[in-house]
Amino acid sequence: MKHLFLTLVIISATALLTRCGDNSTSRLHPYGWPALQPEFDSLTLEAEQLYIDRHADSLSKVIKRMREIADKNPRNRQMTIRTTYWEGRFKFTTGDIEGGTRMLERALAMTDSASYPYERHRILWNLDMDYHGPSIERYDYLLSELDFFIKAGDLMMAADYGMELGAFLNNVEDTENGIPYLMMADSLLRLANQPDQVSNNRINHADALRIKGDTIKAARLLREILADSVTPISPYARDIVLGNLYGLTGDTLALREAYDIVKDDPMLYEAKCTYENYFTEEALRRDDLPMAKAYHALAASEIPDVEDPKILVEFLRLKYNIFQREGEMDSAYHYLYLASQMSEEINSSDRELQIRNANLARKIAERKLQADIDRRRSTIMQLSVTFALLLTVVAGGVFFYRRLQRQKLERVNDTLKLERSNRRMMAMELLMKEKENLFQSVETEMNELSEKGEISRKAANRIASSLKAHSGTKAERDGFMETFEQLDPAFSREMRQSHPQLTEADIRLAAFIALGMDNKHIARVMAIRPESVKQARWRLRSKMGLSPGASLEEAVRAFASRK
């Protein structure tokens, strides 16, 4: 579980590679070469596959045609760089390492890293042919190159660096982190439809399981590789699988088949010597000394070319066993001494290597731990910022909601106040109307009584005047204005701001006019004669600066409409 996150990251990178790449430039799937010209691009993909399949003759023809197209397009620098690159790679296939290196260096000199980053990384990958001992610098380099080719959308190169990273981590016995890179490479190679490469990578996976100590899974995976007809392995790779299977299980049939594959190839002398040592050991285990000596003699013919000291130690140990079986103890002890000396040197070297690998694995673990801490810190920071923003939004939403509720409540209260004021105004108007009707009724009755002689004209006029004086009290007029200002609080304020010379009586008159009351009605309310209302209206017009043709009613109602 502790490596689940790393596995998920690598699988995500695999998925990303199927879609990514420079969106501004078309790429030649499954590689990252920029598309230049249809025929030239087709030749590029053909060259890639021919190189993998080791078809040198056909590859030579393809590169020759690429050179012809590049020469016809001298201004297209990428064509020249790519063609020179392939000419250098072809020299490698013919064994001309120095010539190929010079050609690649020439291509590199033409390649600007800013303008042609992909080409530069591909060329540097081919020039990176020296053996690199395990180091933290090498680990960082492999990671950075893997990241580059993932972003470039190159399935094959990303898979290659995935395999190299997996092998690197397996060599320092960090298989827990190495296996996920091999799994990533496997997925990428399947997407790129490269069955041979898939099989080779699965061999690396089985070797990682062996290093991890899971021999059962390793042996099962090797058998699956041998039985896989969908992605069959090459004869050379089959030899390795069979040899590894024998080393894990002791399956002599697998050993025999592996030996049959390599015995006629003069270049595979180390593999032949290894298998002949195995056969010698098997014969000694069966007490078949003649057969052991026969296989040991075959191994002796390969020994002069063998560079791996572990194979030589095994050869000397078997020689000791043979002389011991024959009773030649002096010779036996001589070869045992040689084998022991060489084993001690190997063990000493291995111990130093183990210490270096352990230190390197620790540094890599520290690097990953720090990266994980940084990633977690970044995630926590992002979550904190997100939570803070969310909290701010929620708080703002609650505040805004409450504000809307308050505003809604205030509008409801204002509506209720307005409705109450309207009702009060209507009641006051009804009361004034009733008073006016009552006054008219009394005045009519007084006139009738005067005409009948039941009351003198003078008394009738005195009663009418008294009624007029009490028909509109100051309290009622003030209450009327208070109610009106509740209905239209801006009316009086804006009237005063526009016309500072207006008195309270002028503003009251203006309010009556704004309500649509006629002169007679206003005279009743204000307890004055209608002629006095006409004079008050004229003075109000003068103070408001209205022209003779202007309507006082419209001018006053303009202020009443500014709510």
Side-chain angles (χ1 to χ4, degrees):
M1 292 297 292
K2 66 179 181 179
H3 297 286
L4 179 60
F5 182 77
L6 174 64
T7 304
L8 291 175
V9 169
I10 294 176
I11 292 173
S12 300
T14 303
L16 179 63
L17 264 166
T18 64
R19 307 188 302 271
C20 72
D22 186 356
N23 294 329
S24 63
T25 306
S26 177
R27 300 284 177 173
L28 304 184
H29 180 80
Y31 300 91
W33 292 110
L36 301 177
Q37 186 254 14
E39 184 184 359
F40 191 81
D41 294 340
S42 177
L43 291 169
T44 300
L45 293 176
E46 189 176 355
E48 291 280 10
Q49 194 59 49
L50 290 171
Y51 186 87
I52 292 173
D53 296 337
R54 298 185 177 90
H55 294 162
D57 293 340
S58 299
L59 179 60
S60 175
K61 295 176 183 178
V62 168
I63 295 173
K64 182 178 179 180
R65 177 57 184 157
M66 290 175 70
R67 172 55 66 186
E68 291 174 358
I69 297 174
D71 289 343
K72 290 179 181 178
N73 297 273
R75 293 186 178 180
N76 194 321
R77 193 169 186 177
Q78 283 179 285
M79 282 188 177
T80 303
I81 293 170
R82 194 182 302 178
T83 303
T84 306
Y85 165 82
W86 276 107
E87 288 170 345
R89 291 197 78 180
F90 178 72
K91 286 184 178 292
F92 286 157
T93 64
T94 63
D96 185 2
I97 305 301
E98 292 184 5
T101 301
R102 285 195 300 272
M103 194 69 71
L104 288 174
E105 288 174 346
R106 186 184 307 168
L108 185 64
M110 292 186 286
T111 307
D112 176 22
S113 59
S115 302
Y116 314 114
Y118 178 82
E119 287 82 352
R120 187 173 183 83
H121 280 264
R122 279 297 298 266
I123 296 169
L124 289 172
W125 174 72
N126 282 98
L127 288 173
D128 186 30
M129 300 179 63
D130 295 334
Y131 170 74
H132 298 279
S135 67
I136 194 67
E137 291 77 18
R138 182 64 180 174
Y139 172 76
D140 289 339
Y141 170 78
L142 293 176
L143 275 181
S144 66
E145 289 300 291
L146 173 63
D147 181 66
F148 172 82
F149 284 109
I150 285 175
K151 291 177 179 177
D154 191 324
L155 299 179
M156 294 297 293
M157 290 302 301
D160 186 85
Y161 276 105
M163 287 189 288
E164 192 167 352
L165 261 171
F168 177 94
L169 292 169
N170 291 339
N171 288 338
V172 300
E173 300 184 1
D174 186 9
T175 55
E176 290 289 339
N177 290 315
I179 289 176
Y181 284 108
L182 297 176
M183 293 171 61
M184 180 193 74
D186 183 88
S187 300
L188 294 176
L189 291 170
R190 289 180 187 277
L191 288 171
N193 193 27
Q194 294 294 328
D196 289 343
Q197 301 293 329
V198 169
S199 299
N200 292 338
N201 183 57
R202 295 177 74 192
I203 296 172
N204 293 333
H205 191 176
D207 193 48
L209 292 171
R210 178 189 62 79
I211 295 172
K212 188 179 177 181
D214 196 344
T215 56
I216 295 176
K217 282 188 178 179
R220 183 167 61 242
L221 181 55
L222 291 174
R223 290 193 175 95
E224 289 175 0
I225 294 171
L226 293 171
D228 191 349
S229 59
V230 178
T231 55
I233 54 177
S234 64
Y236 172 74
R238 189 175 184 84
D239 139 52
I240 296 174
V241 173
L242 290 165
N244 290 346
L245 184 60
Y246 169 78
L248 288 171
T249 65
D251 186 344
T252 54
L253 292 178
L255 176 61
R256 171 57 61 186
E257 186 178 349
Y259 184 64
D260 288 341
I261 292 172
V262 303
K263 66 181 181 181
D264 296 326
D265 191 333
M267 300 300 295
L268 300 179
Y269 44 83
E270 286 199 346
K272 284 190 287 185
C273 187
T274 298
Y275 297 150
E276 286 157 357
N277 282 340
Y278 286 156
F279 280 123
T280 303
E281 179 113 31
E282 288 290 334
L284 289 172
R285 195 175 290 126
R286 298 192 307 270
D287 290 330
D288 188 349
L289 190 58
M291 184 62 70
K293 291 176 69 175
Y295 277 114
H296 196 262
L298 291 174
S301 65
E302 311 293 347
I303 281 296
D305 296 320
V306 172
E307 296 180 358
D308 188 342
K310 292 183 179 180
I311 298 175
L312 181 56
V313 167
E314 183 64 17
F315 175 81
L316 293 172
R317 188 185 63 81
L318 291 169
K319 201 169 189 67
Y320 156 76
N321 287 333
I322 291 172
F323 279 119
Q324 185 187 40
R325 297 287 180 93
E326 290 178 335
E328 299 181 21
M329 299 308 296
D330 290 341
S331 297
Y333 288 137
H334 170 70
Y335 285 108
L336 180 61
Y337 174 75
L338 292 177
S340 298
Q341 274 193 321
M342 189 169 292
S343 294
E344 183 60 32
E345 292 176 2
I346 293 172
N347 290 337
S348 177
S349 177
D350 285 348
R351 282 193 293 271
E352 292 178 2
L353 180 61
Q354 288 173 357
I355 293 172
R356 287 199 301 270
N357 287 345
N359 289 332
L360 179 58
R362 177 180 56 79
K363 290 180 181 178
I364 292 174
E366 290 174 354
R367 187 72 58 89
K368 289 180 178 177
L369 179 61
Q370 186 60 47
D372 186 54
I373 291 172
D374 292 342
R375 184 168 49 249
R376 290 173 185 270
R377 184 180 292 119
S378 176
T379 302
I380 292 172
M381 182 64 68
Q382 291 175 359
L383 289 175
S384 299
V385 171
T386 303
F387 179 75
L389 290 174
L390 182 62
L391 189 62
T392 302
V393 171
V394 171
V398 171
F399 174 78
F400 185 68
Y401 174 76
R402 289 183 176 177
R403 183 177 178 183
L404 287 178
Q405 290 297 103
R406 284 197 301 271
Q407 290 177 349
K408 183 178 179 180
L409 183 60
E410 289 173 358
R411 286 196 297 270
V412 170
N413 289 334
D414 290 342
T415 302
L416 292 174
K417 289 179 181 179
L418 183 62
E419 186 177 351
R420 286 196 297 268
S421 298
N422 282 329
R423 289 178 180 178
R424 184 178 175 187
M425 181 68 75
M426 291 174 61
M428 293 181 70
E429 288 182 354
L430 287 174
L431 180 60
M432 290 184 205
K433 189 68 175 176
E434 288 177 1
K435 284 185 176 182
E436 185 178 353
N437 292 336
L438 178 61
F439 175 77
Q440 289 178 350
S441 176
V442 172
E443 186 178 19
T444 301
E445 187 174 350
M446 290 296 103
N447 289 334
E448 290 177 353
L449 292 173
S450 175
E451 290 175 358
K452 291 179 181 180
E454 295 180 6
I455 189 172
S456 66
R457 173 61 60 181
K458 187 176 180 180
N461 290 336
R462 187 170 62 252
I463 293 172
S465 298
S466 178
L467 286 174
K468 286 181 182 179
H470 294 85
S471 62
T473 65
K474 183 178 185 302
E476 289 177 339
R477 291 193 295 271
D478 292 343
F480 186 90
M481 281 305 299
E482 180 182 350
T483 304
F484 179 79
E485 287 182 355
Q486 289 178 356
L487 290 173
D488 192 351
F491 179 81
S492 299
R493 182 178 66 253
E494 295 187 7
M495 284 284 293
R496 291 187 182 93
Q497 289 177 353
S498 298
H499 307 288
Q501 68 275 21
L502 295 179
T503 64
E504 292 297 328
D506 294 330
I507 293 175
R508 188 182 302 113
L509 175 61
F512 292 150
I513 295 171
L515 288 173
M517 296 172 63
D518 58 20
N519 290 350
K520 188 177 181 182
H521 192 180
I522 295 171
R524 297 292 187 196
V525 173
M526 297 184 70
I528 58 176
R529 294 179 301 167
E531 290 76 10
S532 299
V533 174
K534 290 180 181 179
Q535 293 176 1
R537 287 172 66 99
W538 180 82
R539 286 193 299 271
L540 180 59
R541 288 178 61 89
S542 298
K543 290 180 180 180
M544 293 180 67
L546 298 179
S547 60
S551 171
L552 177 61
E553 286 78 3
E554 291 181 1
V556 170
R557 286 171 186 163
F559 287 98
S561 63
R562 298 179 187 177
K563 294 184 181 179

